[in-house]
Amino acid sequence: MMTLYKRAGGLLSYTGTNDARAVEDEIKKGNREFELVFQALAYQVSKAIGSLATVVDGKVNRIVLTGGLAHSSYLADFIENSTEFIAPLIVVAGEHEMVALSNGIYRVLTGQEKINQFQLV
């Protein structure tokens, strides 16, 4: 189940690929099923952004879209159209999460930054 959840679900399970470029190519060829899947994905991301905006009382300066799927202008445009009333969207395409995490750990280990502890209220 974990493999299905983490590796074989989502875009891959509906389209047979997790390559957004291939999905976009199919959409351009008129593949309506792939278009609906991509729109559903964008809808879910937009919905998550909207729900997170509520926990900060709508005080959102920017929405940053990252990761490999952010390379898709089709996806980014859909998300931007759905969320632009919340805040401007910035697209930083690519998977930089591990670099950011390792840089953060380095700053803590070298004393440049303190560990933040967050508590759910």
Side-chain angles (χ1 to χ4, degrees):
M1 283 308 288
M2 290 307 289
T3 300
L4 177 61
Y5 175 69
K6 290 187 174 192
R7 300 271 185 238
L11 195 59
L12 179 61
S13 66
Y14 288 104
T15 64
T17 182
N18 53 13
D19 183 346
R21 294 167 297 194
V23 174
E24 281 193 36
D25 288 344
E26 284 295 315
I27 291 169
K28 289 174 187 169
K29 292 177 189 172
N31 188 326
R32 181 76 176 127
E33 184 177 338
F34 278 37
E35 183 176 18
L36 288 172
V37 168
F38 226 40
Q39 286 176 352
L41 173 62
Y43 171 81
Q44 290 294 338
V45 172
S46 298
K47 189 168 71 166
I49 291 167
S51 70
L52 290 171
T54 64
V55 299
V56 293
D57 299 323
K59 295 177 182 130
V60 180
N61 296 321
R62 298 282 185 278
I63 298 165
V64 182
L65 187 62
T66 66
L69 285 174
H71 287 287
S72 168
S73 58
Y74 182 94
L75 195 67
D77 289 346
F78 188 101
I79 293 167
E80 183 173 31
N81 289 335
S82 299
T83 61
E84 64 188 351
F85 71 96
I86 298 169
L89 178 77
I90 298 171
V91 177
V92 183
E95 298 179 28
H96 309 289
E97 294 88 353
M98 291 300 143
V99 173
L101 285 170
S102 65
N103 287 340
I105 291 168
Y106 176 79
R107 289 190 304 273
V108 169
L109 292 175
T110 58
Q112 299 173 41
E113 210 172 285
K114 290 184 178 181
I115 294 176
N116 292 318
Q117 292 188 11
F118 297 94
Q119 187 174 3
L120 294 176
V121 181

